[in-house]
Amino acid sequence: MALMNGNSVDAVADHGGSLGRASALFPQAPLPWIDLSTGINPHSYPLFDLPATAFSRLPEPVRARELAAVAAAAYGAPSAANLVPAPGTQILLPRVASLVKPGRALVLGPTYAEHARACAIAGHTVAEVHDFDALFGADIAVVVNPNNPDGRVVSRRDLLELADKMRSKGGLLVVDEAFMDVGPQDERMDGDVDRGGLVVLRSFGKFFGLAGVRLGFAIAAEPLASRLDAELGPWAVAGPALEYGIKALGDEAWQKAMRNTLNEDAGRLDALFAGFGVEVLGGTSLFRFLRLPDAAGLFAALGQSGILIRNFNWDETALRIGLPGNEGEWRRLEKSLAAWAAKRASGTTEVRP
Amino acid sequence: MALMNGNSVDAVADHGGSLGRASALFPQAPLPWIDLSTGINPHSYPLFDLPATAFSRLPEPVRARELAAVAAAAYGAPSAANLVPAPGTQILLPRVASLVKPGRALVLGPTYAEHARACAIAGHTVAEVHDFDALFGADIAVVVNPNNPDGRVVSRRDLLELADKMRSKGGLLVVDEAFMDVGPQDERMDGDVDRGGLVVLRSFGKFFGLAGVRLGFAIAAEPLASRLDAELGPWAVAGPALEYGIKALGDEAWQKAMRNTLNEDAGRLDALFAGFGVEVLGGTSLFRFLRLPDAAGLFAALGQSGILIRNFNWDETALRIGLPGNEGEWRRLEKSLAAWAAKRASGTTEVRP
């Protein structure tokens, strides 16, 4: 199997979000860590008391169907029967990639590395392409929309054309809408899955700031949805995830207010970086994407001051940074950026570790 | 694909544990339901306050490794590297069955129906056999030990011989030890996985009474364990399941006391049935297995009084019954059994629901 970036099937890349890894990289950093290495909302959906039965009893099938219905409405899917609730999107990736017999997988990159790994597990040869039109040559094409980490958006019109091409040759288009909660709603594909040749992925944990409960969805035409459901089997989604999913996905008022909050926070982050001469190139309102020659120096300077951001093995000038969660975190970030900028100005920037 | 019992790949059989199904079967039953339809411990491990980060943050890889280490010690596996933590055993079944290329799957039955379904999903032809020796002809052999629902135990000596046969021909023995927490410890196979040709499955939710958190393990030699880990990907186990798993699997005092409690409860249940002339044939201390000509009448009588037990499509004289959780439930069960026995004695037993 041809794998991009020399990854093996077994090797899971770093994806940010691990304070264990942060402490290993920067053992002298002041605590507590500020984790800006993910695109997970720091303002999580309000925690509430769960019934004891959410932990003790097998999840009720009727409750999973309720979750599918609420999610279908929130995401604009044709019906609850198109929704496959899963314990996180991650575990779905090799299963979705296995819906097509082994062939040629093309991933529009650079993007989230797990898609290539999942396609390789499913027996596909995998290549990353940087031109959307190249995807038409795939047996399975993968587009993250909006893209992680750069926020690039592919239009629904283009994606529909690609999906139709895939369907006509028995292939599959996978659109990972992990960040579409804060993306352009006109470009979402959730309502189009019944055309076939298309699976859309949705992530619950990122926008709702509840990554620990593990909840994600595949959205597909019913024959594909049924196959995925059969692979997951009964009780795929844990009791706590069912309860949070049903409540939060049905809470339109919270979602609307949160989109505004995140927009304001993202604007504030861009302004903060601009004040230090760093231009934000894109991203979504859950993370921002930067490129600068001294990316390694900035990563190290922030790390040494206890702030973890995300760097990438495919471009040493690229960085991704999530949103601070409170004023204390904003102040520590601003102070660390100021110290880094001052060192840079005096020409003494350190680039270790 | 040849499937036993005429199941299709998509059809998940009833497994008990659904009060939605109970209410549909017995709409007039008095509430609340007493659910004795599973083998899940009604005395759950004590609930505790989870840190907010168990819900909000991605599960930490270091915490998952800690869980694997605690589980390896609890189950007697050679090392943490043999343990594959998963969001429930269920989701592992098709992945384990896919470790062997499509061939002939033989399941020692009658037993938990999901094994046959999982083997069919993996592309195997599936048959149920009732003679242990017949398993030697399989490419993938499945033994639930102790067995659900009848409690039959296969000796470790016999299982080792079968595992060696499987290894020698590139096959696989799957030993589902879902109820081994209360089974004969001399027969457990968890320490033998490094011989190869063997995967042992462990379920967290049943003995610890926490089926809602979704936690289970595959235990295998490292190459197989790594393949399964790669399929599940990062963050397979939710934050709440990590926290409960680490604490409960490390709590030997609770486990020891609970085994005693369950033994006493199982003895009490057998005595209760004996008092009404019903002999318990076997089971484990988490569930009891009965056969009686009027099983349908007993199922219906208990259902109409709000007590759900488990019946089976492969034997209309067989029943499985779990443990009542408190004195109120014991009293309602005794009262309902007495009413059923009185009707039976007077020859007016109804067999509907």
Side-chain angles (χ1 to χ4, degrees), chain B residues 88-335:
Chain B
T89 314
Q90 182 63 43
I91 210 164
L92 281 168
L93 301 186
R95 306 281 65 78
V96 169
S98 298
L99 291 172
V100 179
K101 67 175 194 294
R104 188 178 188 211
L106 297 177
V107 180
L108 188 61
T111 191
Y112 183 58
E114 288 293 312
H115 286 290
R117 200 179 66 86
C119 288
I121 286 176
H124 302 290
T125 59
V126 187
E128 181 177 298
V129 298
H130 300 98
D131 173 17
F132 178 80
D133 291 338
L135 295 173
F136 284 74
D139 297 303
I140 177 167
V142 182
V143 177
V144 180
N145 206 41
N147 193 42
N148 170 11
D150 62 5
R152 178 218 64 229
V153 172
V154 178
S155 73
R156 174 167 169 266
R157 196 189 57 183
D158 287 347
L159 290 170
L160 285 174
E161 195 186 337
L162 180 57
D164 289 348
K165 172 72 174 179
M166 290 296 125
R167 186 185 64 247
S168 71
K169 62 174 171 178
L172 187 69
L173 168 61
V174 179
V175 181
D176 181 353
E177 294 186 350
F179 292 99
M180 187 53 93
D181 306 75
V182 295
Q185 298 304 291
D186 287 350
E187 313 305 346
R188 68 182 184 174
M189 295 285 282
D190 311 78
D192 301 303
V193 293
D194 277 339
R195 300 161 71 106
L198 173 66
V199 173
V200 179
L201 298 170
R202 284 286 193 152
S203 170
F204 175 78
K206 295 175 179 72
F207 174 61
F208 291 98
L210 292 169
V213 307
R214 309 312 295 139
L215 179 61
F217 301 88
I219 307 178
E222 280 195 56
L224 294 182
S226 293
R227 279 176 64 184
L228 292 171
D229 250 337
E231 295 250 13
L232 300 181
W235 321 297
V237 173
L242 279 181
E243 297 306 316
Y244 274 102
I246 290 168
K247 186 160 178 186
L249 283 166
D251 189 345
E252 289 178 38
W254 185 91
Q255 294 168 38
K256 189 176 172 190
M258 183 51 61
R259 284 191 186 94
N260 290 336
T261 299
L262 294 171
N263 271 334
E264 288 166 15
D265 285 358
R268 180 175 174 182
L269 196 55
D270 290 4
L272 180 61
F273 276 99
F276 294 107
V278 178
E279 192 190 358
V280 173
L281 296 182
T284 72
S285 62
L286 282 166
F287 57 83
R288 307 305 291 160
F289 183 68
L290 331 173
R291 265 211 184 89
L292 70 167
D294 188 31
L298 179 55
F299 179 83
L302 291 179
Q304 283 155 14
S305 65
I307 300 172
L308 184 67
I309 64 174
R310 178 82 160 87
N311 58 3
F312 300 94
N313 61 5
W314 43 265
D315 184 344
E316 62 182 18
T317 70
L319 293 172
R320 189 187 68 193
I321 182 161
L323 302 176
N326 56 52
E327 285 305 319
E329 294 191 358
W330 281 102
R331 276 194 301 272
R332 270 180 70 188
L333 175 62
E334 180 165 7
K335 201 174 143 194

Side-chain angles (χ1 to χ4, degrees), chain A residues 201-261:
Chain A
L201 298 170
R202 284 285 194 152
S203 170
F204 176 77
K206 295 175 180 72
F207 175 61
F208 291 98
L210 292 169
V213 306
R214 309 311 295 139
L215 179 60
F217 300 89
I219 308 178
E222 280 195 54
L224 293 182
S226 294
R227 277 176 65 184
L228 291 171
D229 251 337
E231 296 250 12
L232 299 181
W235 322 297
V237 173
L242 279 181
E243 297 306 315
Y244 273 102
I246 290 169
K247 186 159 180 189
L249 283 165
D251 189 345
E252 290 178 36
W254 185 90
Q255 294 168 36
K256 190 177 170 190
M258 184 50 63
R259 284 190 186 96
N260 290 336
T261 298

Side-chain angles (χ1 to χ4, degrees), chain A residues 15 17-20 35 47 52 54-57 60 90 94-95 112 117 121 209-214 230-231 233-235 238-239, chain B residues 15 17-20 35 47 52 54-57 60 90 94-95 112 117 121 209-214 230-231 233-235 238-239:
Chain A
H15 301 293
S18 169
L19 295 184
D35 184 10
L47 298 184
F55 297 92
S56 62
R57 285 184 56 81
E60 278 284 345
Q90 181 64 42
R95 306 281 63 78
Y112 183 58
R117 200 179 67 84
I121 286 175
L210 292 169
V213 306
R214 309 311 295 139
E231 296 250 12
W235 322 297
Chain B
H15 301 293
S18 171
L19 294 185
D35 183 10
L47 298 184
F55 297 92
S56 62
R57 287 185 54 82
E60 279 283 345
Q90 182 63 43
R95 306 281 65 78
Y112 183 58
R117 200 179 66 86
I121 286 176
L210 292 169
V213 307
R214 309 312 295 139
E231 295 250 13
W235 321 297

